[in-house]
Amino acid sequence: MPELDQVTSAGAREDLPLLRDAAREAGAIAMRYFGNNPQVWMKGGTSPVSEADHAADAYLRETLLAARPDYGWLSEETADDPARLAARRTFVVDPIDGTRGFLEGLRSWCVSVAVVEDGRTLAGVLECPATEETYWALPGEGAFLNGRRIAVRRPAAMVEIGGPKPLIGLMPAEWQGRLSRVPYIPSLAYRLAMVANGRLDATFVKPNAHDWDIAAADLILREAGGALLDQNGRAPRYAGEVIHHGALVAGSGELLAVLSGIIAGLDG
């Protein structure tokens, strides 16, 4: 990514504390429901959404747009308004990424909040209150977990990979003996943060991830020395007219190149 000009960089730096404060409070709101059997509805018959998602989303929307009324708004739990396409910058939000795991009592869920301009993330925060983790990043300034700088894992003889089993099964024979597949992690944002934090080497991402799942985590991973790539080997772009993505891969180094080659050969 080209270096940000001074004006853009300064704006992103001003947005970061706003995102961190709002995400922290949204996480506290969600925690009031965590483990307390919140009311649940089904979206499209298959995807759960709870009163915790709605409460956190309402807080984030009110707080962030009050502070930046000229920004656009894109959230999993808010009806999309095409008017956001006219905004220079857009908040891209998932009030609870990993709702299914949240409802099952798993701790690996997070509030994902990003500011996007011209398709790229300028500031990203993942607030994970059940694990007491806060990730954040700005372009060119590194990625951090609870104030400590983080980096992707160094290459090793054995590697741990996340993602769908069929995709992992497509890894070359010379890699199969070196692989360990981690159990399913419902929050994609948290899974990407695990790669950024060196707890996971890489992950496949099945098609249909949305901007709100990955916009914040993408920047955190990139600033930690990794990358999130599409089937063309490019970084995804966000907050445009199309807000969902095909197959993706996340990781670093030679392993990322191998994963990229696999999804490049997929249909679609």
Side-chain angles (χ1 to χ4, degrees):
M1 178 177 178
E3 293 214 3
L4 297 170
D5 60 55
Q6 291 185 344
V7 174
T8 300
S9 180
R13 199 170 292 112
E14 291 171 0
D15 283 341
L16 182 61
L18 171 66
L19 297 189
R20 288 177 56 184
D21 289 348
R24 182 172 56 249
E25 181 56 31
I29 290 170
M31 283 296 289
R32 296 171 198 157
Y33 296 90
F34 186 54
N36 289 319
N37 297 312
Q39 188 173 358
V40 179
W41 303 268
M42 299 303 291
K43 296 185 297 184
T46 58
S47 180
V49 59
S50 75
E51 57 183 324
D53 296 83
H54 287 166
D57 187 68
Y59 171 80
L60 288 167
R61 186 177 187 189
E62 179 180 351
T63 301
L64 294 174
L65 290 180
R68 304 285 191 272
D70 56 329
Y71 283 23
W73 180 260
L74 177 62
S75 167
E76 181 173 15
E77 307 307 341
T78 304
D80 193 11
D81 183 352
R84 66 176 173 78
L85 295 171
R88 179 186 174 198
R89 290 181 176 168
T90 301
F91 291 115
V92 180
V93 171
D94 193 340
I96 299 179
D97 187 74
T99 297
R100 197 178 298 275
F102 174 92
L103 295 173
E104 293 173 358
L106 301 179
R107 297 166 62 237
S108 54
W109 54 272
C110 55
V111 178
S112 176
V113 189
V115 170
V116 169
E117 179 180 336
D118 193 27
R120 298 296 189 212
T121 305
L122 297 186
V125 174
L126 299 179
E127 177 70 24
C128 316
T131 59
E132 299 183 345
E133 294 173 299
T134 305
Y135 297 83
W136 69 87
L138 291 171
E141 298 193 11
F144 296 85
L145 165 58
N146 294 348
R148 176 181 61 84
R149 190 158 186 163
I150 58 175
V152 295
R153 187 182 288 182
R154 294 176 178 272
M158 297 299 295
V159 296
E160 292 181 287
I161 295 182
K165 188 174 181 180
L167 288 176
I168 294 175
L170 296 176
M171 291 288 289
E174 62 268 26
W175 283 88
Q176 289 294 340
R178 300 174 55 189
L179 298 180
S180 172
R181 178 174 178 259
V182 299
Y184 177 62
I185 301 161
S187 169
L188 174 54
Y190 193 80
R191 198 190 328 156
L192 296 178
M194 289 177 66
V195 179
N197 193 25
R199 292 170 56 195
L200 190 61
D201 290 282
T203 187
F204 288 101
V205 179
K206 65 182 181 181
N208 208 38
H210 286 71
D211 287 1
W212 47 72
D213 300 313
I214 58 178
D218 182 349
L219 177 61
I220 292 165
L221 174 59
R222 183 153 28 98
E223 288 298 312
L228 179 68
L229 302 175
D230 65 16
Q231 287 180 270
N232 297 310
R234 302 186 187 120
R237 298 184 69 84
Y238 305 113
E241 292 186 20
V242 178
I243 59 172
H244 56 85
H245 305 267
L248 303 166
V249 291
S252 62
E254 180 187 6
L255 181 57
L256 177 61
V258 173
L259 270 64
S260 293
I262 290 172
I263 67 166
L266 297 177
D267 293 333

